[in-house]
């Protein structure tokens, strides 16, 4: 008897409420203990698929999903991405927390002309692949996939790339100034949320993968804004400490 859950027509229909597999456009099967994709390839019009948190090792049935645009395979057991080379409409791929160990295993994706976002590592969820231990692997990915706009959730081209670089420079600057300060420092002020927690969380779309991607990008921009606000508060707090330590108001040096 095979271990793990197998995807069957009954499971798909029960999860989506659709009577025909060809009618399924969006499918969320997160954390179901799935090990075998079974008949998933029969969902010929599937556009958005979340299979994160399962026990999937083989992706063979996904080769038939020519309309698939968004695919989340985070936290599985995938070693080969070869079947995804046939998913010519794929735009966003998340394989963080799998077993991809070399750049050679990603060459099968170089023919995906619409691929814009590729995630191999998710520091917030503590997910990665063996490949991520290699130095400068993100630079190698950018060379291999010049059309990518985001790697591991960080933009490498298009709107937002300048913001990431600014934040990195700010981090480096604050790190040097912190090491030069002596004595205990007061805790930086923490910005308070404007609304209740969870208010800005993107809502999942009902049908279209395009809407799902829009919600995802909106959430990423909000996260960038929150992080920038936090860092700005830290900078203001450091400036206030520096000003308060000057004995002569006329001796400020900028």
């Amino acid at each position: 008897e095979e271990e793990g859950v197998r995807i069957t027509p009954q499971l798909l229909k029960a999860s989506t409420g659709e009577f025909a597999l060809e009618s399924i456009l969006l499918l969320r099967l997160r954390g179901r203990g799935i090990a075998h994709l079974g008949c998933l390839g029969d969902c010929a019009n599937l556009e958005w698929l979340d299979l994160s948190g399962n026990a999937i090792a083989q992706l063979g049935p996904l080769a038939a999903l020519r309309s698939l645009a968004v695919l989340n395979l985070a936290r599985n057991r995938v070693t080969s991405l070869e079947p995804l080379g046939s998913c010519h409409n794929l735009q966003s791929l998340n394989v963080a927390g799998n077993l991809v160990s070399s750049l050679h295993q990603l060459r099968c994706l170089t023919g995906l002309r619409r691929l814009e976002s590729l995630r191999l590592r998710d520091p917030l969820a503590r997910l990665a692949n063996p490949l991520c231990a290699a130095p400068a692997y993100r630079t190698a990915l950018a060379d291999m996939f010049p059309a990518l706009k985001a790697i591991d959730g960080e933009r490498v081209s298009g709107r937002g790339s300048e913001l990431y670089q600014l934040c990195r420079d700010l981090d480096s600057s604050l790190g040097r100034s912190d090491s030069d300060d002596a004595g205990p420092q007061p805790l930086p002020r923490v910005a308070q949320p404007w609304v209740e927690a969870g208010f800005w969380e993107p809502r999942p779309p009902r049908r279209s993968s395009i809407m799902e991607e829009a919600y995802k990008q909106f959430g990423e921009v909000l996260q960038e804004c929150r992080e920038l606000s936090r860092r700005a508060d830290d900078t203001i707090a450091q400036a206030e400490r520096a000003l308060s330590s000057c004995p002569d108001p006329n001796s400020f040096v900028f």
Side-chain angles (χ1 to χ4, degrees):
E1 183 178 357
E2 295 180 336
E3 296 181 357
V5 175
R6 173 180 290 273
I7 293 180
T8 63
Q10 292 77 16
L11 186 150
L12 294 175
K13 292 176 182 179
S15 300
T16 64
E18 298 287 351
F19 292 99
L21 300 187
E22 296 82 0
S23 300
I24 300 175
L25 303 180
L26 184 151
L27 182 59
R28 188 189 302 271
L29 295 174
R30 179 184 302 173
R32 299 286 194 93
I34 296 171
H36 309 280
L37 297 181
C39 66
L40 188 57
D42 294 335
C43 301
N45 297 312
L46 192 61
E47 299 178 357
W48 190 99
L49 176 60
D50 185 352
L51 291 169
S52 59
N54 287 290
I56 299 167
Q58 303 295 329
L59 302 180
L62 298 185
L65 304 181
R66 303 303 174 88
S67 299
L68 192 63
V70 178
L71 175 60
N72 186 353
L73 287 168
R75 204 162 64 249
N76 277 281
R77 303 174 184 174
V78 176
T79 57
S80 174
L81 302 175
E82 195 72 30
L84 301 183
S86 300
C87 300
H88 299 298
N89 199 47
L90 196 60
Q91 301 172 25
S92 176
L93 174 62
N94 183 352
V95 289
N98 281 277
L99 303 175
V100 179
S101 58
S102 69
L103 289 172
H104 179 74
Q105 293 173 289
L106 298 173
R107 294 194 180 278
C108 59
L109 306 178
T110 54
L112 302 181
R113 302 304 181 188
R114 298 188 177 185
L115 187 63
E116 296 183 349
S117 175
L118 177 61
R119 182 184 286 274
L120 293 170
R121 180 174 176 267
D122 187 343
L124 294 179
R126 298 182 180 180
L127 299 176
N129 283 267
L131 169 62
C132 301
Y137 81 94
R138 295 184 72 254
T139 301
L141 281 180
D143 293 338
M144 183 182 295
F145 300 95
L148 282 181
K149 294 183 178 179
I151 297 177
D152 295 343
E154 295 187 9
R155 290 190 177 273
V156 294
S157 66
R159 293 185 305 169
S161 56
E162 294 84 0
L163 175 61
Y164 276 106
Q165 187 59 48
L166 176 62
C167 291
R168 293 192 189 98
D169 294 343
L170 184 59
D171 276 340
S172 300
S173 176
L174 292 178
R176 288 192 295 270
S177 62
D178 286 343
S179 61
D180 295 336
D181 293 337
Q185 300 293 337
L187 293 175
R189 294 180 301 173
V190 179
Q192 297 299 317
W194 298 343
V195 294
E196 296 180 358
F199 181 86
W200 294 109
E201 292 299 324
R203 299 177 181 178
R206 294 183 177 179
R207 305 291 293 181
S208 173
S209 63
I210 304 302
M211 290 298 298
E212 176 65 26
E213 183 64 13
Y215 278 125
K216 179 180 177 182
Q217 292 186 11
F218 180 65
E220 291 175 355
V221 171
L222 286 177
Q223 183 64 28
E224 292 173 5
C225 292
R226 295 191 187 104
E227 182 65 15
L228 188 58
S229 175
R230 181 186 67 78
R231 292 175 179 174
D233 283 342
D234 292 345
T235 303
I236 293 172
Q238 289 188 9
E240 290 176 347
R241 291 198 300 270
L243 293 175
S244 63
S245 64
C246 294
D248 182 2
N250 297 320
S251 64
F252 299 154
V253 178
F254 294 91

